[in-house]
Amino acid sequence: MSDLSGSLDRLGFLPRGWRYRVVSAALGRQSRYFRTHGFRIVDIEPGRVSILAGNRRHLRNRAGGIHSMAASLAGEYAAALVVAQHLARGAKLVVKAVQADFRKPLRGDIHAHASIDAAQIVAVSGSTEGRARIAMRVVDASGTVPIRGHVDVVWRSSSRADGLL
């Protein structure tokens, strides 16, 4: 998804829900874990992304809720996508670190949210390379926030992206 904002613009003729299904399917083709975990993009706004992870059997732990690492992975994807939507076409993005605080067990389906403020949007869109710390949180079906944390990402434009990975 090297041109997320362009892809969303090209799909602007579709209803909002269908746009997100198409983008989720495209991301699932590029990322094995997004597809196998059954994640779905629910909302993409400038500076904000939400991803849904259903309470599927293969994601559950012994307590019957979604495993905390699967939930933090959804937060990682949300943080990467919130930065990717503001990057220049062809730029490469790499997640360097994920820090998540697990406060309580998860119940039901979860929504992973990541957001950046206006200053971070300007920094991301105005540079050919950089680093950012993106806040993420996971909300479960009961409305509580059992997981909070941040994701460190780096990016580089395509002309110098070979050394990044």
Side-chain angles (χ1 to χ4, degrees):
M1 303 290 323
S2 64
D3 187 21
L4 181 61
S5 60
S7 298
L8 289 171
D9 290 342
R10 286 188 295 279
L11 296 171
F13 66 93
L14 292 173
R16 180 179 227 155
W18 288 18
R19 258 182 278 166
Y20 297 149
R21 284 184 187 214
V22 169
V23 173
S24 292
L27 184 59
R29 288 183 62 121
Q30 292 181 355
S31 175
R32 170 186 314 162
Y33 298 114
F34 193 88
R35 181 180 67 243
T36 59
H37 282 63
F39 295 155
R40 280 193 345 228
I41 297 171
V42 182
D43 188 30
I44 297 179
E45 298 292 330
R48 191 180 59 174
V49 172
S50 297
I51 293 178
L52 171 71
N55 190 2
R56 297 175 174 208
R57 183 174 168 211
H58 67 277
L59 295 180
R60 290 186 196 133
N61 57 16
R62 291 182 185 183
I66 294 178
H67 195 279
S68 56
M69 292 309 293
S72 66
L73 182 63
E76 178 183 341
Y77 274 111
L81 287 173
V82 81
V83 173
Q85 70 177 330
H86 298 290
L87 289 178
R89 183 182 179 128
K92 302 291 183 188
L93 177 96
V94 175
V95 173
K96 286 294 190 175
V98 177
Q99 187 271 326
D101 295 326
F102 306 109
R103 300 177 189 277
K104 55 175 63 174
L106 295 157
R107 301 287 176 228
D109 295 347
I110 58 125
H111 288 270
H113 303 283
S115 60
I116 57 176
D117 58 17
Q120 286 178 311
I121 291 173
V122 170
V124 168
S125 60
S127 65
T128 58
E129 63 182 52
R131 170 179 228 107
R133 178 168 280 182
I134 310 302
M136 66 97 168
R137 63 189 174 92
V138 175
V139 180
D140 66 5
S142 67
T144 60
V145 182
I147 299 175
R148 290 183 191 272
H150 62 268
V151 178
D152 293 331
V153 296
V154 296
W155 66 90
R156 188 169 291 168
S157 66
S158 60
S159 63
R160 297 185 58 203
D162 298 332
L164 182 66
L165 300 173

